[in-house]
Amino acid sequence: MATKTRKKLEDLRSQRWYGPSDMRSVSHRARSRQMGYSGEDFTGKPKIGIINTWSDMNTCHSHFKQRAEEIKRGVYEAGGFPIELPAMSLGEIMVKPSTMLYRNFLAMEAEELIRCHPVDGVVLMGGCDKTTPALLMAALTMDLPAIYVPAGPMLRGFFAGETLGSGTDVLRYWADRRAGLIDDETMENVVGGLSRSAGTCMVMGTAATMMSIAETLGMTLPGASSIPAVDSSHALMAAASGRRIVDMVWEDLKPSDILTRASFDNATVIDMALGGSTNAMIHLIAVAGRAGIELTLERFDEISKKTPVILDIKPSGKYLMEDFYYAGGLRGLMTRLTGQLDLTQKTVTGGTLADNLEGAEVYLDEVIRPLDNPLYHEGGTAILRGNIATDGCVIKQTAADPRFHVHRGPAVVFEGYQDLHDRIDDPGLDVTEDSVLVLKYAGPIGAPGMPEWGMLPIPKKLLEKGVRDMVRISDCRMSGTAYGTCILHVAPEAQVGGNLALIQTGDMIDLDIPGRRLNADIPDDEMEARRKAWTPRPFPYERGYTALYARHVTQANKGCDLDFLHAGAETPEPPIF
Ligand code: FES
């Protein structure tokens, strides 16, 4: 990339609002004074938008009010003027049916917030699952200087001398509760020890995966993604990000200068080495799509096959994000993968990934393992194809019981989540641990919003016999904190007539993870006969955002973005009259 000349005041985008000698500009300046700022406070300074995904319903971002103040301090220190812009907070736990339904909503909102306000650069405050991809999608589309401030993980959970990981261990204890092995009081004590501080889930779930990916893409300050949310270093990182974005504006360093096909390959290598969330694949495809880069499931699989999982962290391993930080964090982990990463890629520092790794070390080999002693010999996620998923599906192989990696068993089919809920614990359900549980109509459109229902519950009668894993197939997603032999993101989904819709109870299902295959043993002519007899389910949402979403969302293998946000001409800058 050719060296850019530093911007001058008159080049700043915000000057369109504040600069001209006209009535509108007078009005903009007068209204800034209305908020208690004098002309000297904001005249001649880059205006920095701070997109804050704080709310009382985002439990993982409860420190964001404070962090926004620290970012503002940094912006002021560097000679900028901060403008905080609240956006939909998408707290993973409270938003129903799924934050995935609203990822694109936040992406659109953030894009429009940036477009319609007098900002020259933006700080993106995210962390809880969908907030990271949504904010990156918006920043890429607008292509103003942008830096991402990750929320950081919460502290380790504790119960009865044992460390607890969000999601992963509550799911494990809940299985024990359903099996009658623990009582309500014990369960409540587990709940009490799970979430000890602000911050995201502290296992390698979607939040930790996406924060790590954002850093790998070069969109954060070095080391930012591994800092626990309540560590004082996190506040320092927030202030430093505020200082840095002001310089990025003068340098005109934009996402399009940073994000390349090679940086997305780097992100995929890291995702695999972390044993990252299966959700990362959908999000990476969507984010890359906004950069005009097409990522395919095949590319993920190619990288997966040559990248070992070297981070021993739940749900694939045993440690937690706090341990990862003490072990050297993402920078430490990257030093083990220099042979696979393109370290020439640029970052928000203006330097390269190689520059970011200077002085990085691994301090605890048992957490960040050497390449010759990996947790798993290839990447955490595998891509499968076959007549059930003609456009692909995914499995987190590291979180699956190895005895199911090659498996043949009869399908037990549920025609939607309500059917699953109603029958899964029915004592009369004809199911064994060799059965394959199949959930339909839970995909991007069918659910809608592709909720994290993919870790289908083990039937109670099998739980009581000690069964803790089975093969499960669905067109929905699974929490990055979850585990088990769960085949996810089947595309095309049942709602649009994918072959998943045609599977019936009793069909034999063949899973072969090493061979990357997933098939139903159904003759072609029988499949065709079933297709002719199949009728689409009515979609109950006819108004509002959900109707818009259902008309335009793409399938999982395409990233589930809205098609009209991908394609088409650029939206022009707003006229200022
Ligand atoms: Fe927010 Fe897990 S619930 S990161």
Side-chain angles (χ1 to χ4, degrees):
M1 191 185 71
T3 312
K4 295 183 185 179
T5 48
R6 271 179 88 80
K7 276 199 165 182
K8 299 191 180 69
L9 175 62
E10 57 269 28
D11 302 329
L12 294 182
R13 181 175 179 269
S14 60
Q15 283 298 102
R16 297 184 62 228
W17 277 258
Y18 287 97
S21 176
D22 62 12
M23 195 282 290
R24 269 287 152 234
S25 182
V26 166
S27 167
H28 297 147
R29 293 199 300 271
R31 292 299 172 152
S32 296
R33 284 169 186 248
Q34 182 183 12
M35 295 187 296
Y37 296 109
S38 72
E40 297 84 66
D41 286 333
F42 56 83
T43 304
K45 297 179 178 178
K47 313 293 180 291
I48 304 299
I50 300 171
I51 311 267
N52 190 349
T53 51
W54 173 89
S55 83
D56 274 335
M57 280 285 102
N58 192 327
T59 56
C60 305
H61 295 179
S62 58
H63 55 319
F64 268 10
K65 275 188 176 176
Q66 178 64 32
R67 291 293 176 272
E69 295 308 312
E70 284 140 2
I71 292 167
K72 287 178 189 173
R73 169 161 59 85
V75 171
Y76 284 128
E77 283 169 4
F81 184 78
I83 298 166
E84 189 174 344
L85 300 166
M88 192 179 195
S89 66
L90 290 191
E92 188 66 26
I93 300 300
M94 304 298 182
V95 171
K96 309 296 177 193
S98 163
T99 51
M100 189 62 190
L101 179 62
Y102 297 107
R103 182 200 67 183
N104 299 338
F105 189 100
L106 173 58
M108 286 172 73
E109 185 193 13
E111 176 184 332
E112 300 302 336
L113 279 174
I114 299 169
R115 177 175 290 116
C116 70
H117 287 104
V119 296
D120 301 300
V122 282
V123 180
L124 311 166
M125 298 180 70
C128 191
D129 292 22
K130 314 305 177 292
T131 56
T132 304
L135 294 173
L136 293 178
M137 288 158 78
L140 262 162
T141 302
M142 284 305 296
D143 206 26
L144 294 182
I147 192 167
Y148 173 70
V149 170
M154 68 176 104
L155 299 176
R156 299 183 192 103
F158 276 109
F159 168 67
E162 183 196 4
T163 55
L164 296 179
S166 330
T168 309
D169 286 308
V170 81
L171 289 164
R172 184 167 59 82
Y173 273 102
W174 185 242
D176 285 349
R177 177 73 194 88
R178 290 178 65 228
L181 298 177
I182 61 169
D183 58 19
D184 284 338
E185 190 183 343
T186 307
M187 194 68 220
E188 272 314 294
N189 289 335
V190 170
V191 168
L194 260 175
S195 309
R196 295 176 48 233
S197 76
T200 65
C201 293
M202 74 313 236
V203 301
M204 191 48 71
T206 305
T209 307
M210 290 310 300
M211 291 188 291
S212 303
I213 280 176
E215 179 172 339
T216 308
L217 288 172
M219 293 298 291
T220 74
L221 289 180
S225 67
S226 312
I227 307 170
V230 294
D231 193 295
S232 58
S233 294
H234 197 271
L236 293 171
M237 177 271 293
S241 300
R243 286 192 292 275
R244 178 61 198 143
I245 187 65
V246 177
D247 283 337
M248 287 175 70
V249 169
W250 292 123
E251 292 164 16
D252 196 26
L253 179 57
K254 299 182 294 198
S256 59
D257 301 318
I258 295 171
L259 293 163
T260 66
R261 183 171 285 283
S263 47
F264 284 100
D265 274 356
N266 283 345
T268 306
V269 168
I270 292 301
D271 177 28
M272 295 302 164
L274 296 171
S277 163
T278 43
N279 292 323
M281 236 165 263
I282 297 179
H283 299 320
L284 260 178
I285 291 171
V287 175
R290 297 299 186 95
I293 296 169
E294 189 186 354
L295 296 187
T296 63
L297 293 180
E298 280 62 37
R299 184 65 183 148
F300 285 105
D301 213 35
E302 266 172 47
I303 293 174
S304 173
K305 282 178 178 162
K306 54 188 184 196
T307 311
V309 178
I310 57 169
L311 183 62
D312 191 345
I313 191 167
K314 291 183 181 191
S316 302
K318 70 176 179 192
Y319 294 101
L320 294 167
M321 283 300 288
E322 199 179 336
D323 305 297
F324 183 33
Y325 180 56
Y326 303 144
L330 185 67
R331 291 171 69 241
L333 180 128
M334 282 189 186
T335 64
R336 299 246 147 120
L337 294 160
T338 51
Q340 275 182 262
L341 295 170
D342 180 344
L343 298 177
T344 65
Q345 294 305 298
K346 212 172 178 103
T347 80
V348 289
T349 62
T352 62
L353 263 190
D355 298 332
N356 289 2
L357 296 191
E358 265 176 37
E361 279 183 59
V362 173
Y363 303 108
L364 299 168
D365 273 349
E366 62 272 32
V367 180
I368 304 173
R369 295 187 178 206
L371 285 178
D372 59 6
N373 182 29
L375 186 69
Y376 196 74
H377 63 282
E378 57 180 50
T381 311
I383 306 299
L384 312 175
R385 284 186 189 267
N387 67 358
I388 296 177
T390 50
D391 288 340
C393 57
V394 308
I395 183 164
K396 188 168 194 168
Q397 52 186 338
T398 45
D401 189 326
R403 78 200 159 97
F404 289 126
H405 283 199
V406 178
H407 180 76
R408 179 176 168 87
V412 176
V413 173
F414 300 94
E415 304 284 339
Y417 192 79
Q418 189 62 49
D419 185 31
L420 171 76
H421 183 265
D422 293 346
R423 291 196 296 125
I424 192 70
D425 287 337
D426 181 344
L429 186 69
D430 187 8
V431 64
T432 73
E433 64 185 298
D434 290 327
S435 302
V436 175
L437 304 178
V438 177
L439 174 63
K440 303 176 181 176
Y441 303 106
I445 302 174
M450 210 181 175
E452 293 183 336
W453 296 336
M455 185 182 170
L456 277 64
I458 306 287
K460 194 171 174 189
K461 66 181 183 183
L462 297 182
L463 277 177
E464 287 166 353
K465 288 184 190 164
V467 175
R468 290 294 182 273
D469 196 6
M470 294 175 71
V471 178
R472 290 159 269 184
I473 302 173
S474 70
D475 47 9
C476 54
R477 297 173 303 114
M478 169 174 97
S479 165
T481 65
Y483 55 91
T485 314
C486 303
I487 296 147
L488 311 157
H489 312 179
V490 167
E493 63 172 304
Q495 181 74 27
V496 298
N499 285 350
L500 183 70
L502 311 179
I503 308 297
Q504 296 177 359
T505 292
D507 290 339
M508 292 305 289
I509 307 292
D510 289 305
L511 168 64
D512 177 0
I513 298 176
R516 301 297 200 251
R517 284 189 295 275
L518 177 70
N519 281 298
D521 192 355
I522 304 170
D524 289 347
D525 54 347
E526 167 66 13
M527 194 75 106
E528 213 31 59
R530 290 187 193 180
R531 177 171 309 288
K532 283 195 180 122
W534 180 80
T535 49
R537 285 191 158 195
F539 185 73
Y541 300 89
E542 288 182 355
R543 66 170 301 280
Y545 170 73
T546 310
L548 177 77
Y549 162 92
R551 276 199 280 277
H552 292 283
V553 72
T554 60
Q555 291 290 292
N557 60 313
K558 297 291 182 191
C560 298
D561 201 356
L562 302 181
D563 53 13
F564 62 84
L565 294 175
H566 241 207
E570 259 181 39
T571 308
E573 283 278 345
I576 315 261
F577 297 123

